[in-house]
Amino acid sequence: MTAALTSSEPPLDSDRSFLRVLGGRSLSGELRVSGAKNSALVLMAACLLSRDAIRLRNVPALTDIDGMADMLESLGGRVQRLGDALELDGSGINRTEAPYELVNSLRASFFCIGPLLARMGMARVPLPGGCKIGSRPVEEHVKGLKALGAQVTIEHGVVTAAVPGPSRRLKGGRIVLDCPSVGATETLMMAAALADGETLIENAALEPEVVDLADLLVAMGARIRGAGTASITIAGVDRLHGADYAVIPDRIEAGTFLLAAAITRSSLRVAPLIPEHLCAVLSKLEQVGCVLDYDDDGGLTLSAERVTGLDLRTQPFPGFPTDLQAPFMSLLATAEGTSMVTESIFENRLQHVAELQRMGACIRTQGHTAFIEGVARLSGAPVQGTDLRASAAMVLAGLAAEGSTDVYGLEYLDRGYANLEGKLNAVGASIVRCSPTTKAGPSALAA
Ligand code: EPZ
């Protein structure tokens, strides 16, 4: 649903559409959580490892998912959307070079390098490059692929990996990651799945999305032990067969929805949700005063009346997830008392502070730490989402603000949240997707 309102000059931004959020409304009801974006993307790449058809269920309808489908089809694969499932067919993979324009628009398509190399013995994938939250290096991926016997060069912004020898088959090896990189762990698990021999990945990432990938690979016939711990062992096999697999619920979307209840001081049920995937976040929500009520149907009801400040630092799983740092900061901006938020994963993930300040939040930053003095009421204003999660944080802030807030940066938001405004409006929010061109007055906002 789109309506235009011209009361605010859109910022210089590639996409000038925005969400107009009318604040101050209490929410009630249930928010349904979609499949995990950060799992579905890598599970799609894993389908390059098999010649058989693979069905992935519970795949969210997101622009990033479309981007990964384009990537797989550019390599000769076939991807068909059937409701909330994807049918992927890797039998026709006949290219080993990923197009620059696709990698540049979707960083996650760099995940193709591991399975392509394992399947074809060769892969040429452009460096994904940085983004607004950080430089996003991939040296851990490259180091690990070399440990599996690949010859890897980086020239003119392209990573070229090739497996020498007549078999062109990777060899198992021991890899110690310098940091528990989610992407590197996933790349190397996929590459090792078809290698000759056993691979050990030490200092592996523990994230639920890593475990989800391991579970899919095992369903395809891979032999993997230790996923979810810092030491993962992969015994390579000759081939992987098809599978029918459901993606886990999106813990970051679930956390975002819980924060929508908390910031509006409402009571909402969020489902499905796996508590173990959000342990640090749930603990912090209880610490600030939210009441959490778990039910037997995989849902969680959060109720909030008074919210007080706290300190948090983002960490690799099971610590507090960096992807919920910005949304949680929106809550802390409205909490009683002071808070301190430290971003320790990415080097530039506090850009939402300036946008929250435009809404009257009392925050100052020093290095990677934000010091927050909660205010009784934020005030609506035009704001810019600077990455996927910062955009979501601005929508949350708009829910709690006085007046209306125009959230720009929907090209980021739509990458990770399927129909966010539709889901929130169904529980009582008043959000309209607007473009600066079509005509409609402020009445376009739901009454
Ligand atoms: C994944 O990114 C997620 N993306 C990110 O979600 C998430 O924030 C991140 O993991 C951390 O949880 C997907 O899964 C598609 P990392 P990834 O490699 O794999 C450093 C979102 O909003 N590092 O674990 O790229 C890196 O610079 C997105 O949904 C190296 O130094 O994250 C960062 O500081 C944003 N060298 C830290 O590790 C490397 O070779 C974590 O990065 C690789 C990473």
Side-chain angles (χ1 to χ4, degrees), residues 205-392:
L206 314 182
E207 270 71 2
E209 293 75 24
V210 170
V211 177
D212 212 25
L213 173 61
D215 289 348
L216 168 66
L217 291 173
V218 167
M220 293 166 67
R223 293 166 55 202
I224 299 175
R225 289 195 322 276
T229 76
S231 297
I232 302 177
T233 303
I234 304 105
V237 295
D238 294 339
R239 64 180 292 278
L240 292 172
H241 51 69
D244 182 332
Y245 188 81
V247 178
I248 54 172
D250 193 317
R251 62 194 173 100
I252 304 302
E253 185 187 40
T256 306
F257 289 166
L258 293 170
L259 286 162
I263 203 166
T264 54
R265 309 300 188 267
S266 305
S267 178
L268 282 176
R269 182 173 185 268
V270 175
L273 174 150
I274 301 173
E276 298 75 40
H277 291 178
L278 276 170
C279 36
V281 178
L282 298 177
S283 166
K284 292 295 182 185
L285 285 168
E286 284 186 313
Q287 212 178 306
V288 300
C290 298
V291 174
L292 305 183
D293 179 21
Y294 298 87
D295 59 50
D296 299 334
D297 303 320
L300 166 59
T301 298
L302 181 145
S303 306
E305 287 174 13
R306 277 194 65 209
V307 172
T308 54
L310 55 64
D311 294 351
L312 74 83
R313 167 188 290 271
T314 61
Q315 296 281 6
F317 193 85
F320 192 95
T322 175
D323 293 348
L324 282 172
Q325 179 259 108
F328 208 101
M329 190 183 291
S330 291
L331 173 65
L332 295 175
T334 70
E336 293 172 40
T338 59
S339 301
M340 187 169 74
V341 173
T342 301
E343 171 57 50
S344 66
I345 303 293
F346 289 108
E347 61 262 40
N348 189 29
R349 207 172 197 180
L350 292 177
Q351 296 173 77
H352 46 284
V353 168
E355 300 307 304
L356 287 169
Q357 287 168 336
R358 289 170 51 76
M359 298 178 69
C362 182
I363 310 176
R364 65 181 178 81
T365 59
Q366 193 170 347
H368 296 296
T369 298
F371 300 90
I372 301 144
E373 184 72 38
V375 295
R377 204 93 167 109
L378 295 173
S379 59
V383 289
Q384 173 70 45
T386 48
D387 76 88
L388 159 56
R389 309 304 174 182
S391 301

Side-chain angles (χ1 to χ4, degrees), residues 37-39 41 107-108 111 133 135-141 179-184 186 205 207 209 251-252 322-323 344-347 349 387-389:
K37 164 186 86 87
N38 287 349
S39 183
L41 289 171
R107 286 185 38 78
F111 282 141
I133 65 176
S135 58
R136 312 299 293 275
V138 290
E139 85 279 351
E140 293 301 313
H141 303 239
C179 64
S181 157
V182 173
E186 293 167 339
E207 270 71 2
E209 293 75 24
R251 62 194 173 100
I252 304 302
T322 175
D323 293 348
S344 66
I345 303 293
F346 289 108
E347 61 262 40
R349 207 172 197 180
D387 76 88
L388 159 56
R389 309 304 174 182

Side-chain angles (χ1 to χ4, degrees), residues 158-234:
V158 177
V159 180
T160 300
V163 188
S167 71
R168 295 163 68 86
R169 187 177 180 187
L170 291 167
K171 293 201 177 356
R174 182 167 179 268
I175 301 162
V176 182
L177 296 177
D178 287 351
C179 64
S181 157
V182 173
T185 303
E186 293 167 339
T187 289
L188 298 170
M189 244 177 20
M190 290 188 286
L194 289 178
D196 178 12
E198 187 165 274
T199 295
L200 174 61
I201 304 174
E202 300 272 29
N203 196 23
L206 314 182
E207 270 71 2
E209 293 75 24
V210 170
V211 177
D212 212 25
L213 173 61
D215 289 348
L216 168 66
L217 291 173
V218 167
M220 293 166 67
R223 293 166 55 202
I224 299 175
R225 289 195 322 276
T229 76
S231 297
I232 302 177
T233 303
I234 304 105

Side-chain angles (χ1 to χ4, degrees), residues 47 75 86 88 106 112 174 177 214 248 315 392 395 402 438:
C47 296
L75 298 170
L86 292 182
L88 300 112
L106 174 63
C112 294
R174 182 167 179 268
L177 296 177
I248 54 172
Q315 296 281 6
V395 173
E402 194 156 2
T438 47

